[in-house]
Amino acid sequence: MMRQAGRYMAIYRKLAKKHPSFRERSETTDLIVEISLQPWEAFHPDGVIIFSDILTPLPAFGVPFDIEEVRGPVIQTPIRSEEGLKVLHPIDLDKLNFVGDSLKILRQEVDGKAAVLGFVGAPWTIATYIVEGGTTRTYTNIKSMCHTAPHALRALLSHITEAIAEYVVYQVKAGAHCVQIFDSWGGQLPPHMWELWSKPYINEIVGIVKKKCPDIPLVLYINGNGGLLEKMKGTGVDVIGLDWTVDMADGRRRLGDDISIQGNVDPAYLFSPLSALTDEIHRVVKCAGPRGHILNLGHGVLVGTPEDAVARFFDVARSFNFDSVEEKSKVVV
Ligand SMILES: O=C(O)CCc1c2[nH]c(c1CC(=O)O)Cc1[nH]c(c(CC(=O)O)c1CCC(=O)O)Cc1[nH]c(c(CC(=O)O)c1CCC(=O)O)Cc1[nH]c(c(CCC(=O)O)c1CC(=O)O)C2
């Protein structure tokens, strides 16, 4: 489940009081392992996601950041010109030992009972933070850079691409069974601009990773991807994540049966009565079809989500029987 660990869990909030810095929590091996295992111990999902952030590798290639409680991610010196690019250097994976060490320990801890999942941000999405200086609602600086400083933006995206490709391979070598690429803000681009400014860099990462680790499944997630599904398939990833604004049956029709899909229960259903949540999980699974579907939310667990709803989500998923639910829905219809 996306954002499987974190603020919705009381046990995480308690630990965060003791270790108030997000960077400490996400850059200390013991804490990463402890937090990653919190949801696994509570709900026994099929995947254990390393507790980290898409921004975690930034300091290892020259971009310091912090996560502030109200503002979220903050990059003190945004890069918006050729001059700004001078701070960048090749990724130093030694500075990310805590990620590799945590993945290794997680593999031992779950001992084959769950998949260990790594993740990275896509170049466009990481660049939105580096150019805007943090979270944005408008993306005006980076979108205008596409026209006012295209060479600088391309150089920044290429630099991030090289770093992230190495970082994916590093996560796989350390023990990740599967890696999800978050192009969370790719859906903020008009589709023809996504093809120009995001897709080529994802393609490059997929090409490099497939050459070095051909058996590792790659998942691509974009928030608001209804206009991009077919284009996403063209990146060569193995699984496409759908957010909840795409009808699952429509998504399956558009993507075909030769690719796996992930998603796409609206995370807000976890605030609804448990019967409504159960019906929605059944509906989504039926619409996705009998094969090639990873049941998940359409985006991360929201802050404030009741933990018993998350438990219910996993229970329903585990007890699901594709054929008997079809029978039941036939009777209801
Ligand atoms: O999500 C927020 O609202 C908090 C701020 C924020 C963070 N990274 C960020 C954002 C969004 C933004 O403002 O741009 C930036 C960020 N981090 C991430 C994404 C990708 C995405 O969710 O679409 C994004 C971009 C988009 C987005 O947040 O929706 C990925 C991420 N961060 C994180 C995790 C791990 C996890 O939650 O288990 C994961 C994903 C792992 C997965 O689902 O496979 C961890 C994280 N990062 C962060 C926090 C909150 C700070 C804290 O615990 O003290 C937390 C913990 C939590 O969400 O409870 C900081």
Side-chain angles (χ1 to χ4, degrees):
M1 182 179 282
M2 283 185 278
R3 294 274 180 142
Q4 187 163 275
R7 291 161 293 176
Y8 78 95
M9 291 190 80
I11 193 171
Y12 174 85
R13 295 195 298 273
K14 194 170 160 206
L15 180 143
K17 273 204 185 120
K18 213 165 130 201
H19 303 278
S21 147
F22 178 79
R23 287 205 51 190
E24 184 200 352
R25 293 197 292 282
S26 56
E27 298 182 19
T28 310
T29 304
D30 289 351
L31 295 177
I32 297 170
V33 170
E34 184 177 347
I35 297 168
S36 307
L37 291 176
Q38 286 174 346
W40 192 64
E41 276 152 12
F43 313 118
H44 306 290
D46 295 328
V48 170
I49 304 168
I50 182 168
F51 184 76
S52 187
D53 196 81
I54 57 169
L55 303 180
T56 298
L58 266 57
F61 59 85
V63 184
F65 76 99
D66 211 346
I67 302 248
E68 292 180 5
E69 184 138 359
V70 179
R71 285 173 71 195
V74 176
I75 282 141
Q76 292 297 353
T77 316
I79 298 178
R80 295 181 186 158
S81 63
E82 305 269 356
E83 184 61 26
L85 296 169
K86 288 185 182 152
V87 298
L88 299 176
H89 55 74
I91 191 163
D92 178 358
L93 293 168
D94 287 342
K95 294 208 169 113
L96 293 164
N97 277 338
F98 51 85
V99 172
D101 292 346
S102 301
L103 286 165
K104 274 187 208 116
I105 297 171
L106 287 172
R107 276 288 288 255
Q108 289 160 6
E109 288 286 329
V110 304
D111 194 23
K113 296 186 191 78
V116 172
L117 310 176
F119 70 93
V120 296
W124 167 262
T125 289
I126 291 180
T128 67
Y129 288 96
I130 296 178
V131 169
E132 301 288 343
T135 307
T136 170
R137 289 212 332 250
T138 57
Y139 305 87
T140 42
N141 288 301
I142 189 164
K143 285 184 176 180
S144 73
M145 243 182 119
C146 297
H147 309 287
T148 58
H151 297 299
L153 184 55
R154 288 221 180 278
L156 174 62
L157 289 164
S158 295
H159 192 93
I160 299 170
T161 300
E162 227 168 273
I164 293 299
E166 271 192 56
Y167 185 43
V168 175
V169 173
Y170 169 79
Q171 291 190 27
V172 172
K173 291 204 168 133
H177 287 107
C178 172
V179 175
Q180 173 151 315
I181 303 171
F182 279 97
D183 194 9
S184 306
W185 306 135
Q188 296 294 326
L189 283 166
H192 73 284
M193 290 291 274
W194 183 79
E195 288 213 89
L196 286 175
W197 292 98
S198 184
K199 188 180 177 205
Y201 304 97
I202 296 173
N203 281 353
E204 206 176 319
I205 292 171
V206 173
I208 293 169
V209 175
K210 289 285 170 193
K211 208 180 258 171
K212 296 199 171 158
C213 335
D215 300 328
I216 292 298
L218 292 174
V219 186
L220 177 59
Y221 173 82
I222 301 181
N223 206 2
N225 60 0
L228 296 170
L229 291 190
E230 295 80 359
K231 297 182 196 307
M232 287 171 80
K233 193 174 176 182
T235 59
V237 293
D238 305 278
V239 183
I240 293 191
L242 303 182
D243 75 277
W244 65 92
T245 62
V246 179
D247 179 76
M248 181 51 90
D250 194 31
R252 174 55 91 194
R253 252 192 313 275
R254 285 170 59 191
L255 288 165
D257 288 329
D258 56 340
I259 188 156
S260 296
I261 49 184
Q262 175 180 273
N264 73 345
V265 175
D266 181 351
Y269 263 98
L270 295 168
F271 292 81
S272 296
L274 295 179
S275 58
L277 171 64
T278 305
D279 288 349
E280 179 59 3
I281 295 170
H282 287 174
R283 189 192 67 77
V284 164
V285 176
K286 293 304 292 188
C287 287
R291 264 172 297 282
H293 174 221
I294 300 168
L295 174 62
N296 204 324
L297 298 176
H299 198 193
V301 186
L302 296 164
V303 176
T305 295
E307 291 180 45
D308 66 341
V310 175
R312 175 73 169 194
F313 186 98
F314 289 116
D315 286 346
V316 172
R318 261 189 295 270
S319 61
F320 189 84
N321 179 315
F322 199 89
D323 296 324
S324 63
V325 169
E326 188 166 49
E327 289 307 311
K328 187 180 152 209
S329 60
K330 267 184 196 154
V331 174
V332 173
V333 170

